[in-house]
mmCIF file of all heavy atoms in Angstrom:
data_model
loop_
_atom_site.group_PDB
_atom_site.id
_atom_site.type_symbol
_atom_site.label_atom_id
_atom_site.label_comp_id
_atom_site.label_asym_id
_atom_site.label_seq_id
_atom_site.Cartn_x
_atom_site.Cartn_y
_atom_site.Cartn_z
ATOM 1 N N CYS A 295 -10.059 24.256 11.208
ATOM 2 C CA CYS A 295 -9.650 24.106 9.813
ATOM 3 C C CYS A 295 -8.334 23.331 9.764
ATOM 4 O O CYS A 295 -7.749 22.971 10.789
ATOM 5 C CB CYS A 295 -9.475 25.457 9.160
ATOM 6 S SG CYS A 295 -8.284 26.528 9.989
ATOM 7 N N SER A 296 -7.835 23.107 8.564
ATOM 8 C CA SER A 296 -6.555 22.387 8.419
ATOM 9 C C SER A 296 -5.368 23.228 8.923
ATOM 10 O O SER A 296 -4.358 22.636 9.284
ATOM 11 C CB SER A 296 -6.370 21.997 6.979
ATOM 12 O OG SER A 296 -6.281 23.130 6.136
ATOM 13 N N ALA A 297 -5.510 24.528 8.989
ATOM 14 C CA ALA A 297 -4.452 25.372 9.541
ATOM 15 C C ALA A 297 -4.270 25.076 11.036
ATOM 16 O O ALA A 297 -3.116 25.125 11.541
ATOM 17 C CB ALA A 297 -4.717 26.822 9.308
ATOM 18 N N CYS A 298 -5.343 24.777 11.719
ATOM 19 C CA CYS A 298 -5.255 24.438 13.149
ATOM 20 C C CYS A 298 -4.452 23.146 13.303
ATOM 21 O O CYS A 298 -3.532 23.071 14.131
ATOM 22 C CB CYS A 298 -6.651 24.241 13.735
ATOM 23 S SG CYS A 298 -7.676 25.708 13.723
ATOM 24 N N SER A 299 -4.791 22.113 12.554
ATOM 25 C CA SER A 299 -4.067 20.830 12.664
ATOM 26 C C SER A 299 -2.635 21.014 12.196
ATOM 27 O O SER A 299 -1.705 20.432 12.723
ATOM 28 C CB SER A 299 -4.752 19.713 11.881
ATOM 29 O OG SER A 299 -4.848 20.029 10.533
ATOM 30 N N GLY A 300 -2.429 21.863 11.183
ATOM 31 C CA GLY A 300 -1.079 22.129 10.744
ATOM 32 C C GLY A 300 -0.231 22.840 11.761
ATOM 33 O O GLY A 300 0.975 22.536 11.872
ATOM 34 N N ALA A 301 -0.811 23.753 12.552
ATOM 35 C CA ALA A 301 -0.061 24.404 13.607
ATOM 36 C C ALA A 301 0.366 23.404 14.701
ATOM 37 O O ALA A 301 1.493 23.473 15.164
ATOM 38 C CB ALA A 301 -0.903 25.512 14.232
ATOM 39 N N ILE A 302 -0.543 22.519 15.035
ATOM 40 C CA ILE A 302 -0.210 21.501 16.032
ATOM 41 C C ILE A 302 0.911 20.613 15.495
ATOM 42 O O ILE A 302 1.882 20.325 16.171
ATOM 43 C CB ILE A 302 -1.451 20.639 16.396
ATOM 44 C CG1 ILE A 302 -2.491 21.530 17.046
ATOM 45 C CG2 ILE A 302 -1.055 19.513 17.331
ATOM 46 C CD1 ILE A 302 -3.851 20.836 17.209
ATOM 47 N N ASP A 303 0.728 20.133 14.243
ATOM 48 C CA ASP A 303 1.693 19.261 13.595
ATOM 49 C C ASP A 303 3.091 19.904 13.575
ATOM 50 O O ASP A 303 4.090 19.300 13.954
ATOM 51 C CB ASP A 303 1.225 18.913 12.215
ATOM 52 C CG ASP A 303 2.039 17.842 11.528
ATOM 53 O OD1 ASP A 303 3.167 17.535 11.993
ATOM 54 O OD2 ASP A 303 1.549 17.264 10.550
ATOM 55 N N LYS A 304 3.130 21.159 13.130
ATOM 56 C CA LYS A 304 4.413 21.879 12.995
ATOM 57 C C LYS A 304 5.131 22.000 14.325
ATOM 58 O O LYS A 304 6.342 21.806 14.423
ATOM 59 C CB LYS A 304 4.171 23.259 12.393
ATOM 60 C CG LYS A 304 5.415 24.076 12.128
ATOM 61 C CD LYS A 304 5.087 25.412 11.534
ATOM 62 C CE LYS A 304 4.947 26.399 12.655
ATOM 63 N NZ LYS A 304 4.815 27.778 12.223
ATOM 64 N N ASN A 305 4.362 22.326 15.367
ATOM 65 C CA ASN A 305 4.975 22.523 16.682
ATOM 66 C C ASN A 305 5.407 21.189 17.318
ATOM 67 O O ASN A 305 6.404 21.158 18.027
ATOM 68 C CB ASN A 305 4.048 23.302 17.590
ATOM 69 C CG ASN A 305 4.002 24.737 17.216
ATOM 70 O OD1 ASN A 305 4.982 25.433 17.284
ATOM 71 N ND2 ASN A 305 2.848 25.198 16.751
ATOM 72 N N LEU A 306 4.653 20.118 17.091
ATOM 73 C CA LEU A 306 5.032 18.827 17.627
ATOM 74 C C LEU A 306 6.255 18.255 16.921
ATOM 75 O O LEU A 306 7.040 17.566 17.514
ATOM 76 C CB LEU A 306 3.878 17.850 17.554
ATOM 77 C CG LEU A 306 2.711 18.084 18.521
ATOM 78 C CD1 LEU A 306 1.619 17.058 18.305
ATOM 79 C CD2 LEU A 306 3.200 18.044 19.967
ATOM 80 N N GLN A 307 6.400 18.565 15.625
ATOM 81 C CA GLN A 307 7.552 18.062 14.868
ATOM 82 C C GLN A 307 8.877 18.650 15.395
ATOM 83 O O GLN A 307 9.942 18.093 15.155
ATOM 84 C CB GLN A 307 7.420 18.336 13.388
ATOM 85 C CG GLN A 307 6.261 17.615 12.692
ATOM 86 C CD GLN A 307 6.555 16.120 12.564
ATOM 87 O OE1 GLN A 307 7.622 15.632 12.782
ATOM 88 N NE2 GLN A 307 5.511 15.397 12.217
ATOM 89 N N LYS A 308 8.789 19.796 16.064
ATOM 90 C CA LYS A 308 9.989 20.430 16.605
ATOM 91 C C LYS A 308 10.554 19.691 17.826
ATOM 92 O O LYS A 308 11.705 19.886 18.158
ATOM 93 C CB LYS A 308 9.662 21.898 17.035
ATOM 94 C CG LYS A 308 9.341 22.822 15.894
ATOM 95 C CD LYS A 308 8.990 24.179 16.402
ATOM 96 C CE LYS A 308 8.523 25.091 15.291
ATOM 97 N NZ LYS A 308 8.111 26.407 15.831
ATOM 98 N N ILE A 309 9.745 18.842 18.427
ATOM 99 C CA ILE A 309 10.156 18.110 19.608
ATOM 100 C C ILE A 309 10.900 16.836 19.173
ATOM 101 O O ILE A 309 10.344 16.024 18.480
ATOM 102 C CB ILE A 309 8.944 17.781 20.508
ATOM 103 C CG1 ILE A 309 8.280 19.094 20.905
ATOM 104 C CG2 ILE A 309 9.365 16.967 21.701
ATOM 105 C CD1 ILE A 309 6.924 18.940 21.552
ATOM 106 N N PRO A 310 12.178 16.686 19.591
ATOM 107 C CA PRO A 310 12.994 15.536 19.093
ATOM 108 C C PRO A 310 12.431 14.176 19.468
ATOM 109 O O PRO A 310 12.630 13.213 18.761
ATOM 110 C CB PRO A 310 14.360 15.762 19.745
ATOM 111 C CG PRO A 310 14.302 17.086 20.364
ATOM 112 C CD PRO A 310 12.936 17.567 20.468
ATOM 113 N N SER A 311 11.745 14.059 20.580
ATOM 114 C CA SER A 311 11.265 12.734 21.007
ATOM 115 C C SER A 311 9.962 12.304 20.291
ATOM 116 O O SER A 311 9.515 11.179 20.457
ATOM 117 C CB SER A 311 11.066 12.731 22.534
ATOM 118 O OG SER A 311 10.195 13.752 22.922
ATOM 119 N N ILE A 312 9.380 13.203 19.505
ATOM 120 C CA ILE A 312 8.196 12.857 18.717
ATOM 121 C C ILE A 312 8.642 12.603 17.262
ATOM 122 O O ILE A 312 9.265 13.471 16.643
ATOM 123 C CB ILE A 312 7.155 13.968 18.790
ATOM 124 C CG1 ILE A 312 6.635 14.097 20.206
ATOM 125 C CG2 ILE A 312 6.012 13.736 17.828
ATOM 126 C CD1 ILE A 312 5.650 15.194 20.444
ATOM 127 N N THR A 313 8.324 11.408 16.766
ATOM 128 C CA THR A 313 8.818 11.000 15.473
ATOM 129 C C THR A 313 7.815 11.139 14.324
ATOM 130 O O THR A 313 8.212 11.414 13.202
ATOM 131 C CB THR A 313 9.326 9.562 15.494
ATOM 132 O OG1 THR A 313 8.280 8.734 15.936
ATOM 133 C CG2 THR A 313 10.525 9.434 16.442
ATOM 134 N N ASN A 314 6.544 10.955 14.616
ATOM 135 C CA ASN A 314 5.550 10.969 13.546
ATOM 136 C C ASN A 314 4.237 11.545 14.103
ATOM 137 O O ASN A 314 3.816 11.144 15.173
ATOM 138 C CB ASN A 314 5.313 9.574 13.008
ATOM 139 C CG ASN A 314 4.509 9.581 11.735
ATOM 140 O OD1 ASN A 314 4.261 10.618 11.154
ATOM 141 N ND2 ASN A 314 4.082 8.401 11.304
ATOM 142 N N VAL A 315 3.624 12.447 13.345
ATOM 143 C CA VAL A 315 2.379 13.066 13.753
ATOM 144 C C VAL A 315 1.370 12.982 12.625
ATOM 145 O O VAL A 315 1.670 13.386 11.488
ATOM 146 C CB VAL A 315 2.572 14.535 14.163
ATOM 147 C CG1 VAL A 315 1.291 15.181 14.543
ATOM 148 C CG2 VAL A 315 3.616 14.672 15.247
ATOM 149 N N LYS A 316 0.195 12.441 12.897
ATOM 150 C CA LYS A 316 -0.908 12.420 11.937
ATOM 151 C C LYS A 316 -2.142 12.972 12.640
ATOM 152 O O LYS A 316 -2.602 12.359 13.645
ATOM 153 C CB LYS A 316 -1.165 10.976 11.444
ATOM 154 C CG LYS A 316 -0.059 10.494 10.577
ATOM 155 C CD LYS A 316 -0.362 9.107 10.002
ATOM 156 C CE LYS A 316 0.814 8.658 9.168
ATOM 157 N NZ LYS A 316 0.574 7.309 8.643
ATOM 158 N N ILE A 317 -2.643 14.071 12.156
ATOM 159 C CA ILE A 317 -3.807 14.719 12.771
ATOM 160 C C ILE A 317 -4.890 14.889 11.731
ATOM 161 O O ILE A 317 -4.642 15.369 10.642
ATOM 162 C CB ILE A 317 -3.436 16.095 13.348
ATOM 163 C CG1 ILE A 317 -2.330 15.951 14.375
ATOM 164 C CG2 ILE A 317 -4.648 16.802 13.959
ATOM 165 C CD1 ILE A 317 -1.767 17.265 14.899
ATOM 166 N N ASN A 318 -6.090 14.477 12.087
ATOM 167 C CA ASN A 318 -7.262 14.673 11.225
ATOM 168 C C ASN A 318 -8.098 15.787 11.814
ATOM 169 O O ASN A 318 -8.701 15.640 12.874
ATOM 170 C CB ASN A 318 -8.094 13.378 11.165
ATOM 171 C CG ASN A 318 -9.175 13.434 10.168
ATOM 172 O OD1 ASN A 318 -9.746 14.526 9.895
ATOM 173 N ND2 ASN A 318 -9.557 12.278 9.624
#
């Protein structure tokens, strides 16, 4: 579901070297 992609997105955004995340 979208909560799964949201969890990945939220955790990757915490990493300073990752600037943009788009997950379908």
Side-chain angles (χ1 to χ4, degrees):
C295 59
S296 61
C298 298
S299 62
I302 297 169
D303 190 343
K304 183 180 92 172
N305 286 297
L306 288 178
Q307 293 290 348
K308 293 178 185 176
I309 300 169
S311 55
I312 294 178
T313 57
N314 190 11
V315 178
K316 291 184 181 178
I317 301 173
N318 187 331

